[in-house]
Amino acid sequence: MLNRLQESDIKLLRVFYAVASCNGFTAAEPVLRMQRPNISAAIKKLEERLDLVLCHRGRGGFQMTKEGEVVFQETKRIFNAFDNFVFNLKSLHDDYSGHITLVLMAGLPLSIQLAVSKAVKSTMKKFDDIHVNIQTRLYNEVEHVALSGECHLVISTYDMVKPESVTFHPIGVKCKGRLYCSPSHPLAKYRDTPLPDDVKIEDFPAIGLSGLSSGNYIEDDRRLAIQTFSDSYDAAMSAIMTGEYIALLPDFIAKEQGASLGLVPIAQGSMFNFEHELFVMNGKNTRLNPVLRHCIKELSYFISESQKQYA
């Protein structure tokens, strides 16, 4: 059992992190600049140090164990925080090189993802020794990662009371949404008409999104009957398609992913409408050096430009 991390353990964890990220030993060889037998030996040694089986390898291919998944996620947090520490330390000496970590809320529309790519390219072009690590997190995790030191910047909507420990940079873009159901749901027949007075929205089970303000589920004297929660809009859409639930979804989800599924806006989409503002976020402890300031400016510009066609 490992009680204290040593320098040799960190090297072994870096090997495991690369193998897990590449989903295999062979794919990790050029990344690590190591041959497969040496990689295998390092993983075996790490497993002995941790007294855990991290992965299975053989004819069935590479597959992480449940324990390996936990170690991988914790290792990712350690190395993200360490890379951020090194980057921030260098910036104190006006050395703007190294890795920055950018986290996107899961499920953002393709247009915004492409805009992020342009902003990252612009930043890397201006600071030619900068590398950007782009990751995704679920909606209910974005505040935590902004505060934890795992990343420098987060791009997400945010609908809760804004904590003082996080700085919010408005982009001027709002993600609009409404109440949806599947084509097989009883409310689908009211797609183009208001709900009759004898049809109560409270009588139909609904899906909530973890981390979303409860105010989204209340409209005048009506309240959605939240029966269970999903951790992302994508998961909520899957629940809707069972035909058993209704849920709030951003319109871009319905257009980009739900169009082929025939998602139905209930009552012409006139109920429980919402507008969630998009932000670039960072923890108050994040030092906004010229690289990060430029990246925030470029993110705001390219994302705003990408949404003008939908205005």
Side-chain angles (χ1 to χ4, degrees):
M1 183 73 68
L2 181 63
N3 293 317
R4 179 178 295 179
L5 272 178
Q6 300 176 2
E7 185 176 351
S8 58
D9 297 320
I10 294 174
K11 292 180 179 178
L12 296 176
L13 285 169
R14 285 219 177 261
V15 173
F16 172 67
Y17 179 72
V19 171
S21 298
C22 296
N23 199 34
F25 287 62
T26 302
E29 288 185 39
V31 175
L32 293 168
R33 297 180 183 178
M34 294 172 61
Q35 294 183 342
R36 180 168 179 144
N38 295 333
I39 295 175
S40 183
I43 297 296
K44 183 177 180 180
K45 187 173 181 179
L46 179 62
E47 290 178 326
E48 291 172 353
R49 287 283 290 156
L50 300 178
D51 193 23
L52 294 170
V53 176
L54 301 176
C55 56
H56 299 300
R57 51 268 199 197
R59 293 183 178 180
F62 174 83
Q63 185 176 8
M64 276 195 291
T65 62
K66 291 182 179 179
E67 294 80 5
E69 289 281 0
V70 173
V71 172
F72 173 60
Q73 293 302 326
E74 292 303 317
T75 301
K76 180 190 292 185
R77 292 188 179 95
I78 291 172
F79 290 149
N80 280 353
F82 183 75
D83 288 342
N84 294 347
F85 166 74
V86 172
F87 175 80
N88 293 336
L89 192 63
K90 286 182 176 181
S91 69
L92 293 175
H93 298 279
D94 295 327
D95 178 3
Y96 305 118
S97 63
H99 290 75
I100 62 175
T101 302
L102 179 64
V103 167
L104 309 184
M105 180 185 81
L108 285 174
L110 180 60
S111 59
I112 290 180
Q113 294 181 44
L114 293 175
V116 169
S117 298
K118 293 178 181 178
V120 167
K121 181 178 180 180
S122 170
T123 302
M124 292 177 66
K125 186 176 181 180
K126 182 175 179 64
F127 301 91
D128 57 8
D129 203 13
I130 284 293
H131 300 277
V132 181
N133 179 19
I134 303 177
Q135 301 177 1
T136 60
R137 290 289 193 281
L138 299 174
Y139 178 82
N140 60 339
E141 297 177 317
V142 294
E143 179 185 338
H144 167 74
V145 296
L147 289 171
S148 65
E150 293 178 43
C151 68
H152 289 95
L153 302 174
V154 176
I155 301 172
S156 175
T157 58
Y158 197 84
D159 187 51
M160 304 291 283
V161 175
K162 296 178 179 57
E164 293 182 358
S165 50
V166 176
T167 300
F168 292 83
H169 307 274
I171 296 177
V173 169
K174 293 183 178 180
C175 295
K176 299 180 180 180
R178 61 204 73 234
L179 196 59
Y180 286 91
C181 67
S182 76
S184 62
H185 193 276
L187 291 178
K189 62 184 176 182
Y190 301 112
R191 175 184 188 127
D192 299 318
T193 59
L195 293 186
D197 292 339
D198 61 340
V199 177
K200 304 299 182 185
I201 201 71
E202 295 88 346
D203 295 337
F204 299 90
I207 294 283
L209 184 72
S210 299
L212 195 64
S213 169
S214 59
N216 289 276
Y217 309 127
I218 302 171
E219 184 179 89
D220 299 326
D221 59 344
R222 295 177 294 195
R223 182 186 297 264
L224 296 182
I226 304 297
Q227 300 297 316
T228 187
F229 286 87
S230 293
D231 58 12
S232 69
Y233 286 122
D234 290 331
M237 183 174 65
S238 297
I240 290 175
M241 293 313 298
T242 65
E244 301 295 325
Y245 299 99
I246 60 178
L248 297 176
L249 288 180
D251 292 334
F252 65 75
I253 288 277
K255 290 177 181 177
E256 293 187 358
Q257 301 179 44
S260 60
L261 302 175
L263 284 176
V264 176
I266 299 171
Q268 297 177 308
S270 61
M271 305 176 66
F272 294 89
N273 292 341
F274 64 83
E275 288 187 349
H276 295 160
E277 191 168 0
L278 193 68
F279 296 95
V280 179
M281 303 154 50
N282 63 269
K284 284 289 177 66
N285 292 329
T286 299
R287 184 172 182 268
L288 293 182
N289 61 27
V291 177
L292 297 179
R293 291 186 184 281
H294 180 80
C295 191
I296 291 171
K297 183 185 72 173
E298 294 299 272
L299 287 167
S300 298
Y301 171 75
F302 283 109
I303 292 175
S304 296
E305 287 294 307
S306 73
Q307 300 307 295
K308 284 183 178 179
Q309 60 181 310
Y310 304 112

